[in-house]
Amino acid sequence: MLNSFFKSAFLCGAFLYCSFFTVSAQEVAQNPLIHADVPDMSIIRRGDTYYMSSTTMHMSPGVPIMKSTDLTNWKLVNYAYDTLVDNDAMNLDNGEQTYGRGSWASSLRYHEGMYYLSTFAATSGMTHIYTTKDIENGPWEVHEFKPAYHDHTLFFEDGKIYMIWGAGELSMVELKEDLSGVKEETKHVLIKNATDPIGSNYILPAEGSQVFKHDGKFYLFNITWPRGGMRTVVVHRADQITGPYEGRVALQDKGVAQGGLIDTPDGDWYAYLFQDSGAVGRIPYLVPAEWKDGWPVLGVDGKVPETLNLPKNESIIPGIVHSDDFSREKGDPALPLVWQWNHNPNNDLWSVEERPGFLRLKTGRIDTAFIQAKNTLTQRTLGPVSSGTVKLDVSQMKAGDHAGLSVLQKKYGIIGVRSKADGKEIYMSKNAEDGGVIATLPFNQNEVFLKIECDFRDRTDKAYFYYSLDGQTWNELGSVLQMQYTLPHFMGYRFGLFNYAAETPGGWVDFDYFEIEDTIKHSQ
């Protein structure tokens, strides 16, 4: 075979020979698996198809479902719910909000023809379980009960439905067959101190439970964090799901932790985990796993590898983020799955039909702060670099209105237009140490182009803000935003399209398009 190859290479020329080896070296998957905020993954396999759920907290719709046929390239196919709960916090009403809360880590399971997706929320105070026979199309049936069981995992065994939850001390309970609640009499402590494998000095007790069965034994995955160390994977093993369990450290490298196990149709095993990666968020990794002496052994010589023996992971555009010109054909959804609203939207105040080919955002109340404003429409940023660009018609803004493009986190940045009694101006603003409006520019056109570039390389975490009057010549405005992942928002930065009224409701703006790219023009 080698002789045949070299003969062909000689006949076709040395260029082909070199190109073959260059391409071959790149035709493998790279870590991180997805360079964007996709934390708290739970993955199952049905035949040769994988499904993954993740966390998007205060976003609506929520609990995204992604699909892959190769374990490396993923596409959004559904959400578990449109509305987690209808209350002031999720609606951004009466000064309330629920940044960093909403729904947290989910557990995805398949059992006897039914998909089960469970999560929990401090915002609702409940545990939520969504069931469907068709994970890609729904519909989902909702089951809810109190309290909110922290970081729980579901498992079906011997006709019973078990739930394991907790932090440090892990507990177990059986669920009622109709999923209406738990069987209180079955509650008990499963592992008194699941953090014990790393010792007694820690920042984070063992949490993020996910339980699996392999070769007749049960394996419980958790994350913990020793003080002075890094995020660590701990695994406990038992002959029965009810225990007793013995535990050990399974991986301690690059802070890659929290997740579980998945196998391929060919019998290969991987741990799916994630890493805190600065402002872009918590990003997924795959780590090879093999079984030795009845334990899963993670990593290559205990390390997270840069490459994987899996098909090359392409850009997450268009599967997880995507440009949108807001043109819709008959039967198209009003918004593709890549979009999520910041908190619950007011569906009376947005449209892609009132002006075909445009997203119209209307104001319906007074808001004095960007993070409290209704109907900010978001997509993830992505690394190592990314940019978001919009074309915006501002001709129907009222005095006091603010509209434009943002990168959303607690320390947000804005490039937008604000309307005043004596005219409009382009402005750049940020909620940072030097807060407020940083720069303004008089503006007397009906249309404007706005762009934000994000540089996450080596956790640089800087955002740059631009405007253009013709879509060709771009000018930087204001100052660089030093992006920062903050726990109050607990989410990687997102591009956000917004419009809110600070004085008089009733105005609107029209977004002609949103373009997302995985390149930027700004260099370090």
Side-chain angles (χ1 to χ4, degrees), residues 363-384:
T363 64
R365 69 178 195 186
I366 303 299
D367 285 299
T368 57
F370 164 65
I371 60 171
Q372 200 65 31
K374 282 271 199 180
N375 288 12
T376 296
L377 188 61
T378 78
Q379 285 198 41
R380 294 169 177 84
T381 58
L382 67 146

PDB file of all heavy atoms in Angstrom, residues 363-384:
ATOM      1  N   THR A 363     -40.564  48.779  22.030  1.00  0.00           N
ATOM      2  CA  THR A 363     -40.539  49.068  23.461  1.00  0.00           C
ATOM      3  C   THR A 363     -41.965  49.132  23.998  1.00  0.00           C
ATOM      4  O   THR A 363     -42.871  49.598  23.313  1.00  0.00           O
ATOM      5  CB  THR A 363     -39.820  50.393  23.764  1.00  0.00           C
ATOM      6  OG1 THR A 363     -40.546  51.474  23.170  1.00  0.00           O
ATOM      7  CG2 THR A 363     -38.405  50.373  23.218  1.00  0.00           C
ATOM      8  N   GLY A 364     -42.131  48.644  25.250  1.00  0.00           N
ATOM      9  CA  GLY A 364     -43.471  48.624  25.831  1.00  0.00           C
ATOM     10  C   GLY A 364     -43.519  49.125  27.257  1.00  0.00           C
ATOM     11  O   GLY A 364     -44.579  49.127  27.881  1.00  0.00           O
ATOM     12  N   ARG A 365     -42.363  49.553  27.777  1.00  0.00           N
ATOM     13  CA  ARG A 365     -42.320  50.048  29.148  1.00  0.00           C
ATOM     14  C   ARG A 365     -41.039  50.860  29.311  1.00  0.00           C
ATOM     15  O   ARG A 365     -40.193  50.921  28.415  1.00  0.00           O
ATOM     16  CB  ARG A 365     -42.352  48.894  30.149  1.00  0.00           C
ATOM     17  CG  ARG A 365     -41.082  48.056  30.151  1.00  0.00           C
ATOM     18  CD  ARG A 365     -41.119  46.951  31.167  1.00  0.00           C
ATOM     19  NE  ARG A 365     -39.801  46.382  31.402  1.00  0.00           N
ATOM     20  CZ  ARG A 365     -39.559  45.319  32.151  1.00  0.00           C
ATOM     21  NH1 ARG A 365     -40.565  44.698  32.746  1.00  0.00           N
ATOM     22  NH2 ARG A 365     -38.324  44.882  32.324  1.00  0.00           N
ATOM     23  N   ILE A 366     -40.877  51.435  30.491  1.00  0.00           N
ATOM     24  CA  ILE A 366     -39.680  52.225  30.796  1.00  0.00           C
ATOM     25  C   ILE A 366     -38.667  51.350  31.525  1.00  0.00           C
ATOM     26  O   ILE A 366     -39.003  50.660  32.492  1.00  0.00           O
ATOM     27  CB  ILE A 366     -40.032  53.444  31.681  1.00  0.00           C
ATOM     28  CG1 ILE A 366     -41.088  54.320  30.997  1.00  0.00           C
ATOM     29  CG2 ILE A 366     -38.776  54.246  32.014  1.00  0.00           C
ATOM     30  CD1 ILE A 366     -40.639  54.883  29.675  1.00  0.00           C
ATOM     31  N   ASP A 367     -37.437  51.367  31.050  1.00  0.00           N
ATOM     32  CA  ASP A 367     -36.323  50.695  31.726  1.00  0.00           C
ATOM     33  C   ASP A 367     -35.151  51.657  31.777  1.00  0.00           C
ATOM     34  O   ASP A 367     -34.861  52.347  30.789  1.00  0.00           O
ATOM     35  CB  ASP A 367     -35.899  49.427  30.979  1.00  0.00           C
ATOM     36  CG  ASP A 367     -36.872  48.280  31.180  1.00  0.00           C
ATOM     37  OD1 ASP A 367     -37.053  47.872  32.341  1.00  0.00           O
ATOM     38  OD2 ASP A 367     -37.444  47.792  30.180  1.00  0.00           O
ATOM     39  N   THR A 368     -34.491  51.710  32.902  1.00  0.00           N
ATOM     40  CA  THR A 368     -33.360  52.636  33.045  1.00  0.00           C
ATOM     41  C   THR A 368     -32.015  51.924  33.027  1.00  0.00           C
ATOM     42  O   THR A 368     -30.976  52.575  33.054  1.00  0.00           O
ATOM     43  CB  THR A 368     -33.487  53.429  34.362  1.00  0.00           C
ATOM     44  OG1 THR A 368     -33.561  52.502  35.459  1.00  0.00           O
ATOM     45  CG2 THR A 368     -34.742  54.291  34.337  1.00  0.00           C
ATOM     46  N   ALA A 369     -32.026  50.587  32.963  1.00  0.00           N
ATOM     47  CA  ALA A 369     -30.774  49.830  32.954  1.00  0.00           C
ATOM     48  C   ALA A 369     -30.835  48.748  31.887  1.00  0.00           C
ATOM     49  O   ALA A 369     -31.849  48.040  31.763  1.00  0.00           O
ATOM     50  CB  ALA A 369     -30.514  49.202  34.322  1.00  0.00           C
ATOM     51  N   PHE A 370     -29.769  48.595  31.144  1.00  0.00           N
ATOM     52  CA  PHE A 370     -29.697  47.613  30.069  1.00  0.00           C
ATOM     53  C   PHE A 370     -29.979  46.199  30.567  1.00  0.00           C
ATOM     54  O   PHE A 370     -30.727  45.439  29.938  1.00  0.00           O
ATOM     55  CB  PHE A 370     -28.316  47.691  29.401  1.00  0.00           C
ATOM     56  CG  PHE A 370     -27.976  46.507  28.550  1.00  0.00           C
ATOM     57  CD1 PHE A 370     -28.704  46.237  27.399  1.00  0.00           C
ATOM     58  CD2 PHE A 370     -26.928  45.656  28.900  1.00  0.00           C
ATOM     59  CE1 PHE A 370     -28.395  45.134  26.609  1.00  0.00           C
ATOM     60  CE2 PHE A 370     -26.614  44.563  28.114  1.00  0.00           C
ATOM     61  CZ  PHE A 370     -27.347  44.308  26.972  1.00  0.00           C
ATOM     62  N   ILE A 371     -29.415  45.808  31.703  1.00  0.00           N
ATOM     63  CA  ILE A 371     -29.582  44.428  32.149  1.00  0.00           C
ATOM     64  C   ILE A 371     -30.981  44.142  32.676  1.00  0.00           C
ATOM     65  O   ILE A 371     -31.332  42.986  32.898  1.00  0.00           O
ATOM     66  CB  ILE A 371     -28.536  44.037  33.212  1.00  0.00           C
ATOM     67  CG1 ILE A 371     -28.639  44.933  34.448  1.00  0.00           C
ATOM     68  CG2 ILE A 371     -27.129  44.062  32.636  1.00  0.00           C
ATOM     69  CD1 ILE A 371     -27.788  44.443  35.606  1.00  0.00           C
ATOM     70  N   GLN A 372     -31.793  45.170  32.860  1.00  0.00           N
ATOM     71  CA  GLN A 372     -33.165  44.973  33.299  1.00  0.00           C
ATOM     72  C   GLN A 372     -34.145  45.056  32.135  1.00  0.00           C
ATOM     73  O   GLN A 372     -35.339  44.817  32.294  1.00  0.00           O
ATOM     74  CB  GLN A 372     -33.536  46.008  34.367  1.00  0.00           C
ATOM     75  CG  GLN A 372     -34.737  45.641  35.232  1.00  0.00           C
ATOM     76  CD  GLN A 372     -34.502  44.419  36.109  1.00  0.00           C
ATOM     77  OE1 GLN A 372     -33.385  44.167  36.531  1.00  0.00           O
ATOM     78  NE2 GLN A 372     -35.553  43.651  36.384  1.00  0.00           N
ATOM     79  N   ALA A 373     -33.640  45.359  30.933  1.00  0.00           N
ATOM     80  CA  ALA A 373     -34.504  45.582  29.777  1.00  0.00           C
ATOM     81  C   ALA A 373     -35.056  44.275  29.233  1.00  0.00           C
ATOM     82  O   ALA A 373     -34.380  43.246  29.214  1.00  0.00           O
ATOM     83  CB  ALA A 373     -33.736  46.319  28.687  1.00  0.00           C
ATOM     84  N   LYS A 374     -36.285  44.324  28.756  1.00  0.00           N
ATOM     85  CA  LYS A 374     -36.944  43.180  28.134  1.00  0.00           C
ATOM     86  C   LYS A 374     -36.386  42.923  26.736  1.00  0.00           C
ATOM     87  O   LYS A 374     -35.925  43.829  26.041  1.00  0.00           O
ATOM     88  CB  LYS A 374     -38.441  43.455  27.999  1.00  0.00           C
ATOM     89  CG  LYS A 374     -39.234  43.276  29.271  1.00  0.00           C
ATOM     90  CD  LYS A 374     -39.708  41.839  29.415  1.00  0.00           C
ATOM     91  CE  LYS A 374     -40.861  41.746  30.411  1.00  0.00           C
ATOM     92  NZ  LYS A 374     -41.327  40.361  30.545  1.00  0.00           N
ATOM     93  N   ASN A 375     -36.514  41.656  26.322  1.00  0.00           N
ATOM     94  CA  ASN A 375     -36.359  41.267  24.918  1.00  0.00           C
ATOM     95  C   ASN A 375     -34.981  41.556  24.329  1.00  0.00           C
ATOM     96  O   ASN A 375     -34.869  42.021  23.190  1.00  0.00           O
ATOM     97  CB  ASN A 375     -37.445  41.916  24.050  1.00  0.00           C
ATOM     98  CG  ASN A 375     -38.815  41.294  24.272  1.00  0.00           C
ATOM     99  OD1 ASN A 375     -39.013  40.544  25.216  1.00  0.00           O
ATOM    100  ND2 ASN A 375     -39.749  41.607  23.393  1.00  0.00           N
ATOM    101  N   THR A 376     -33.928  41.270  25.081  1.00  0.00           N
ATOM    102  CA  THR A 376     -32.593  41.239  24.495  1.00  0.00           C
ATOM    103  C   THR A 376     -32.386  39.848  23.920  1.00  0.00           C
ATOM    104  O   THR A 376     -32.473  38.848  24.639  1.00  0.00           O
ATOM    105  CB  THR A 376     -31.519  41.562  25.537  1.00  0.00           C
ATOM    106  OG1 THR A 376     -31.706  42.905  25.991  1.00  0.00           O
ATOM    107  CG2 THR A 376     -30.123  41.423  24.950  1.00  0.00           C
ATOM    108  N   LEU A 377     -32.122  39.767  22.632  1.00  0.00           N
ATOM    109  CA  LEU A 377     -32.009  38.504  21.911  1.00  0.00           C
ATOM    110  C   LEU A 377     -30.536  38.133  21.780  1.00  0.00           C
ATOM    111  O   LEU A 377     -29.742  38.934  21.285  1.00  0.00           O
ATOM    112  CB  LEU A 377     -32.659  38.626  20.533  1.00  0.00           C
ATOM    113  CG  LEU A 377     -32.786  37.344  19.718  1.00  0.00           C
ATOM    114  CD1 LEU A 377     -33.651  36.309  20.427  1.00  0.00           C
ATOM    115  CD2 LEU A 377     -33.371  37.660  18.326  1.00  0.00           C
ATOM    116  N   THR A 378     -30.171  36.911  22.208  1.00  0.00           N
ATOM    117  CA  THR A 378     -28.761  36.589  22.364  1.00  0.00           C
ATOM    118  C   THR A 378     -28.333  35.337  21.603  1.00  0.00           C
ATOM    119  O   THR A 378     -29.137  34.437  21.326  1.00  0.00           O
ATOM    120  CB  THR A 378     -28.401  36.369  23.849  1.00  0.00           C
ATOM    121  OG1 THR A 378     -28.825  35.068  24.271  1.00  0.00           O
ATOM    122  CG2 THR A 378     -29.016  37.432  24.741  1.00  0.00           C
ATOM    123  N   GLN A 379     -27.028  35.314  21.310  1.00  0.00           N
ATOM    124  CA  GLN A 379     -26.318  34.117  20.880  1.00  0.00           C
ATOM    125  C   GLN A 379     -24.984  34.069  21.601  1.00  0.00           C
ATOM    126  O   GLN A 379     -24.436  35.107  21.997  1.00  0.00           O
ATOM    127  CB  GLN A 379     -26.061  34.125  19.379  1.00  0.00           C
ATOM    128  CG  GLN A 379     -27.255  33.842  18.500  1.00  0.00           C
ATOM    129  CD  GLN A 379     -26.834  33.434  17.095  1.00  0.00           C
ATOM    130  OE1 GLN A 379     -25.879  32.682  16.912  1.00  0.00           O
ATOM    131  NE2 GLN A 379     -27.552  33.948  16.107  1.00  0.00           N
ATOM    132  N   ARG A 380     -24.421  32.866  21.711  1.00  0.00           N
ATOM    133  CA  ARG A 380     -23.113  32.703  22.325  1.00  0.00           C
ATOM    134  C   ARG A 380     -22.033  33.431  21.525  1.00  0.00           C
ATOM    135  O   ARG A 380     -22.091  33.500  20.300  1.00  0.00           O
ATOM    136  CB  ARG A 380     -22.733  31.221  22.393  1.00  0.00           C
ATOM    137  CG  ARG A 380     -23.585  30.362  23.291  1.00  0.00           C
ATOM    138  CD  ARG A 380     -23.267  28.895  23.039  1.00  0.00           C
ATOM    139  NE  ARG A 380     -24.016  28.010  23.929  1.00  0.00           N
ATOM    140  CZ  ARG A 380     -25.265  27.594  23.694  1.00  0.00           C
ATOM    141  NH1 ARG A 380     -25.905  27.997  22.605  1.00  0.00           N
ATOM    142  NH2 ARG A 380     -25.865  26.776  24.533  1.00  0.00           N
ATOM    143  N   THR A 381     -21.024  33.951  22.215  1.00  0.00           N
ATOM    144  CA  THR A 381     -19.759  34.255  21.574  1.00  0.00           C
ATOM    145  C   THR A 381     -19.001  32.942  21.436  1.00  0.00           C
ATOM    146  O   THR A 381     -19.370  31.934  22.037  1.00  0.00           O
ATOM    147  CB  THR A 381     -18.931  35.246  22.402  1.00  0.00           C
ATOM    148  OG1 THR A 381     -18.707  34.678  23.705  1.00  0.00           O
ATOM    149  CG2 THR A 381     -19.651  36.580  22.558  1.00  0.00           C
ATOM    150  N   LEU A 382     -17.940  32.924  20.646  1.00  0.00           N
ATOM    151  CA  LEU A 382     -17.141  31.721  20.514  1.00  0.00           C
ATOM    152  C   LEU A 382     -15.677  32.075  20.428  1.00  0.00           C
ATOM    153  O   LEU A 382     -15.307  33.195  20.053  1.00  0.00           O
ATOM    154  CB  LEU A 382     -17.553  30.889  19.293  1.00  0.00           C
ATOM    155  CG  LEU A 382     -17.312  31.464  17.903  1.00  0.00           C
ATOM    156  CD1 LEU A 382     -16.976  30.342  16.925  1.00  0.00           C
ATOM    157  CD2 LEU A 382     -18.549  32.215  17.403  1.00  0.00           C
ATOM    158  N   GLY A 383     -14.828  31.133  20.831  1.00  0.00           N
ATOM    159  CA  GLY A 383     -13.390  31.329  20.808  1.00  0.00           C
ATOM    160  C   GLY A 383     -12.740  30.527  19.706  1.00  0.00           C
ATOM    161  O   GLY A 383     -13.394  29.691  19.076  1.00  0.00           O
ATOM    162  N   PRO A 384     -11.474  30.791  19.433  1.00  0.00           N
ATOM    163  CA  PRO A 384     -10.597  31.742  20.132  1.00  0.00           C
ATOM    164  C   PRO A 384     -10.981  33.212  19.897  1.00  0.00           C
ATOM    165  O   PRO A 384     -10.720  34.051  20.752  1.00  0.00           O
ATOM    166  CB  PRO A 384      -9.211  31.445  19.557  1.00  0.00           C
ATOM    167  CG  PRO A 384      -9.325  30.092  18.916  1.00  0.00           C
ATOM    168  CD  PRO A 384     -10.728  29.983  18.452  1.00  0.00           C
TER     169      PRO A 384
END
